[in-house]
Amino acid sequence: MPEGSFEPTVMFFGLTNSPATFQVRMNDLLRDLVVEGKAVVFIDDVIVITETEEEYDKIVEEVLRRLEENDLFVKPEKCV
């Protein structure tokens, strides 16, 4: 390409290993929260498990911070 190499900004889920690759990335990003039992990750779904609302808010902020630092994003309208 005249402008340089093409670098995709999103993962192509039509490719064979894309879901597995994304799962590994999410597991690496949130490994400590999963090991502590504070989160469960399945591909692009993250479930936060806490006993108090304050702890829940803290964990959600941490998850969002890590995603942002790694150029991943969420659609707020899909978050429940």
Side-chain angles (χ1 to χ4, degrees), residues 2 4 7 9 11-12 15 18 21 23 26 29-31 37-38 41-42 47-50 65-66 68 74 80:
E7 184 176 339
T9 57
M11 184 174 285
F12 301 114
L15 300 175
S18 294
T21 301
Q23 179 70 55
M26 292 296 288
L29 286 177
L30 303 173
R31 181 171 312 283
K38 295 181 179 181
V41 180
F42 180 71
I47 299 171
V48 175
I49 306 161
T50 63
R65 183 188 63 76
R66 292 182 192 189
E68 183 178 15
V74 297
V80 179

Side-chain angles (χ1 to χ4, degrees), residues 16-70:
T16 304
N17 291 331
S18 294
T21 301
F22 190 74
Q23 179 70 55
V24 168
R25 184 166 184 195
M26 292 296 288
N27 286 343
D28 288 344
L29 286 177
L30 303 173
R31 181 171 312 283
D32 61 321
L33 298 175
V34 171
V35 169
E36 294 172 9
K38 295 181 179 181
V40 177
V41 180
F42 180 71
I43 303 179
D44 63 347
D45 293 325
V46 179
I47 299 171
V48 175
I49 306 161
T50 63
E51 292 186 21
T52 66
E53 191 171 341
E54 292 80 21
E55 186 179 9
Y56 175 84
D57 292 341
K58 179 181 168 187
I59 299 298
V60 169
E61 286 178 15
E62 178 65 18
V63 168
L64 293 174
R65 183 188 63 76
R66 292 182 192 189
L67 292 175
E68 183 178 15
E69 286 177 353
N70 288 277

